[in-house]
Amino acid sequence: MKKTLIIALLLATISLGLALDFRYITLLLIPAVIIFLPKSIFDRRYMFFFILSIFAILPQLERYSVLPVITSSMASVILLIMLFYSCNNIRLSNSYNIFFLILIALIAFQTFRGYFLGYKFYYLFSEAIKYLYYPIGFFFTMSMFKDDDKDESIIKNFLLFFLVSGIIISIQILFYHFNVTRGERVLTRQANLLLMSIVVAIIYFFAYARDIKEKIMISILLMLYILSVILFMQRSLWGGIIVALLSLMFCLQKKIIKSNKEAIIIVLIIALLLAVVINIYQSISFNSDVMSTRTDVLESGTKSFSLGVRLLSFARIFQKIKNHPIIGSGFGDSLVTPYLNSREVGFVDNSFIVILWKSGILGFMIFCVIFIRFFFQLFKIINHSKNKHYILFAIFSLSTIVGQMVNGLACVIMILYHFNIYWAAIIAITDYIYRREFYTQNEKTH
């Protein structure tokens, strides 16, 4: 861990030293890709982390024209690669086969339905690909495990991935802030992944860092992540992080932290780091009033353009849901919301309402069953597992998914970004741990 953190901090330092020009960072990453790609072709474990890196680093919407954008065509090619690796070594010993097979059937049904209803092909194709990342991502992740000692290293490296990718995402955001937006809020979907980086950093601080040097390095990374989240200025992400941290603190105090005194120290450290980061933000930002403007909107009610459009779009969507409550309107259906003198296309920022709209109660129930089982497995791992690494992964997963679900109340993070591979991977790893811990134990006792 120490070497990885030193390399990560060195990368961040070099980036800042090079005037935050992300072109230099891209050059630094090219040698790593050249070394990494050939290995990933022959080893699905390398391929897994290579694909995760693509979705963490490359933007998913065209806004700043700095890096190549992940298009639906690129995402579909990656999906086919994952499908090939999944079929090449499919593991049927998991708890979700029937649920994800039903989900695949639902996706196919809603895709053909959208086609026959004449929806625009771009929306139809894009949605189908993103939804397919749930089942294909699950089976692809499961295919990596071989029931050997290397399986536990995959789980550790999965956490470490967010620690390191968070640095690269933060560097992107700093570059955009200083060189592109010049003080305005930075809009890049990768910033949503920093919720996971923050959770992992705190877990490393209290569970893995062995000495004061490592704790200092983790603290620096944590401040970098928090600063980037502030520059992103997405209020739903702020709310998601708060809920994720509350969940994390509760679980850590129950399983890892041994005294109330240590819990108080954690809260004080986080509060201190937040205060330092806000101070840094006010010092480096071109326009520190942007942050107060974003927070003031929460008190302005319907005076907010964003809130006004959301309320109107929700009203129109609920009418669509009433028309097709059981099977939904189908993939590819879009919404145009007239507001004052403008027309906002597709402005429905709520993951759960969108599932009801496109897939109806039937699709919504399938997702509910998958996540209810997922949470059941997490609670059992946290409460009954004897493996510290498994417990910490379960705590990370619980905090992350709960936080992202709160975030999903005001954006489509849980369904219509390509980040679905992350949620599928977390579900798959959790299921692998659950079956390894409890099913294997039952087999041994019998």
Side-chain angles (χ1 to χ4, degrees):
M1 186 193 79
K2 190 173 182 178
K3 290 182 180 178
T4 305
L5 290 180
I6 290 173
I7 293 171
L9 285 173
L10 182 62
L11 176 61
T13 304
I14 292 173
S15 308
L16 295 172
L18 293 172
L20 295 167
D21 195 326
F22 197 73
R23 289 171 297 181
Y24 294 109
I25 306 307
T26 305
L27 291 176
L28 289 173
L29 292 173
I30 288 175
V33 172
I34 293 173
I35 295 170
F36 199 67
L37 184 57
K39 290 184 177 180
S40 67
I41 294 173
F42 299 101
D43 190 328
R44 70 186 66 238
R45 295 175 177 180
Y46 281 96
M47 178 61 74
F48 174 72
F49 286 105
F50 183 69
I51 290 173
L52 292 186
S53 301
I54 291 174
F55 290 117
I57 295 172
L58 297 184
Q60 299 192 22
L61 72 167
E62 177 128 28
R63 192 174 293 273
Y64 302 126
S65 302
V66 175
L67 289 171
V69 177
I70 297 176
T71 63
S72 295
S73 299
M74 184 190 301
S76 64
V77 171
I78 295 173
L79 191 70
L80 289 174
I81 293 172
M82 291 167 54
L83 180 61
F84 169 78
Y85 278 95
S86 301
C87 295
N88 185 257
N89 185 32
I90 191 165
R91 290 177 61 103
L92 297 177
S93 57
N94 63 73
S95 307
Y96 292 88
N97 280 328
I98 186 64
F99 303 125
F100 279 117
L101 288 175
I102 292 173
L103 181 59
I104 291 174
L106 176 73
I107 293 169
F109 170 72
Q110 297 294 4
T111 301
F112 283 112
R113 189 156 166 261
Y115 174 78
F116 287 114
L117 288 172
Y119 298 147
K120 289 185 178 179
F121 180 77
Y122 170 79
Y123 294 119
L124 175 63
F125 181 70
S126 176
E127 280 189 53
I129 292 298
K130 289 169 184 173
Y131 275 95
L132 280 171
Y133 266 92
Y134 265 107
I136 304 303
F138 174 86
F139 288 114
F140 174 59
T141 304
M142 288 295 293
S143 73
M144 293 190 302
F145 295 112
K146 300 177 181 178
D147 299 312
D148 57 22
D149 294 337
K150 291 184 178 180
D151 288 346
E152 193 166 298
S153 67
I154 294 175
I155 298 169
K156 294 178 183 177
N157 289 334
F158 187 75
L159 295 181
L160 191 60
F161 169 82
F162 292 105
L163 204 62
V164 177
S165 63
I167 298 172
I168 300 173
I169 294 169
S170 297
I171 292 169
Q172 288 187 43
I173 292 174
L174 288 170
F175 168 75
Y176 296 146
H177 177 78
F178 284 103
N179 293 277
V180 181
T181 67
R182 305 293 294 177
E184 294 300 316
R185 64 175 298 212
V186 174
L187 294 171
T188 174
R189 289 175 180 169
Q190 298 97 296
N192 288 282
L193 298 181
L194 291 177
L195 182 153
M196 298 142 90
S197 299
I198 290 172
V199 170
V200 172
I202 295 173
I203 288 175
Y204 264 81
F205 187 95
F206 291 100
Y208 288 123
R210 293 168 293 184
D211 53 41
I212 189 65
K213 291 180 181 179
E214 291 188 357
K215 289 184 182 292
I216 290 173
M217 286 191 287
I218 293 292
S219 298
I220 294 171
L221 294 183
L222 191 54
M223 288 192 292
L224 181 65
Y225 304 151
I226 296 172
L227 176 61
S228 301
V229 167
I230 291 175
L231 294 176
F232 184 49
M233 294 288 170
Q234 180 170 300
R235 291 159 298 196
S236 64
L237 180 59
W238 293 351
I241 289 174
I242 291 171
V243 172
L245 291 181
L246 290 174
S247 174
L248 176 64
M249 287 297 304
F250 176 80
C251 293
L252 285 178
Q253 186 173 18
K254 183 178 179 182
K255 301 298 296 187
I256 305 298
I257 300 169
K258 304 302 181 183
S259 65
N260 291 332
K261 181 179 178 181
E262 196 171 353
I264 294 172
I265 291 174
I266 294 176
V267 174
L268 290 176
I269 289 174
I270 295 175
L272 177 62
L273 292 177
L274 180 60
V276 170
V277 170
I278 291 176
N279 200 6
I280 292 173
Y281 166 75
Q282 291 175 338
S283 301
I284 67 171
S285 179
F286 292 97
N287 182 13
S288 58
D289 292 335
V290 174
M291 183 176 179
S292 60
T293 301
R294 296 292 292 173
T295 53
D296 289 344
V297 166
L298 295 175
E299 302 174 3
S300 64
T302 55
K303 295 179 182 179
S304 164
F305 170 80
S306 176
L307 181 59
V309 173
R310 279 185 172 86
L311 292 174
L312 281 175
S313 66
F314 290 164
R316 294 170 67 87
I317 284 300
F318 282 124
Q319 185 59 48
K320 284 177 173 279
I321 292 172
K322 284 170 62 178
N323 293 337
H324 304 281
I326 305 301
I327 59 174
S329 298
F331 290 170
D333 191 15
S334 59
L335 177 75
V336 177
T337 304
Y339 185 79
L340 299 179
N341 294 321
S342 65
R343 290 164 63 84
E344 296 292 326
V345 179
F347 205 92
V348 186
D349 279 343
N350 186 298
S351 298
F352 313 105
I353 292 176
V354 170
I355 293 174
L356 277 170
W357 165 26
K358 301 298 181 75
S359 302
I361 295 174
L362 179 62
F364 188 80
M365 290 303 297
I366 293 172
F367 275 97
C368 284
V369 169
I370 290 172
F371 278 99
I372 287 171
R373 179 161 186 79
F374 167 69
F375 284 120
F376 168 79
Q377 291 179 331
L378 287 179
F379 287 126
K380 189 165 183 179
I381 293 169
I382 293 171
N383 290 322
H384 299 291
S385 176
K386 304 299 181 183
N387 187 310
K388 175 186 175 182
H389 304 299
Y390 292 167
I391 293 172
L392 288 172
F393 179 84
I395 291 174
F396 156 79
S397 300
L398 179 64
S399 304
T400 290
I401 297 300
V402 168
Q404 294 291 10
M405 282 183 167
V406 171
N407 186 17
L409 292 172
C411 74
V412 287
I413 183 70
M414 296 303 296
I415 48 166
L416 292 183
Y417 296 166
H418 292 113
F419 298 144
N420 291 343
I421 185 172
Y422 295 109
W423 322 141
I426 289 173
I427 294 172
I429 296 173
T430 299
D431 187 56
Y432 173 77
I433 292 173
Y434 177 80
R435 297 184 68 83
R436 186 176 179 86
E437 281 286 273
F438 304 112
Y439 278 56
T440 306
Q441 288 178 9
N442 291 336
E443 290 172 2
K444 288 180 179 179
T445 56
H446 293 293

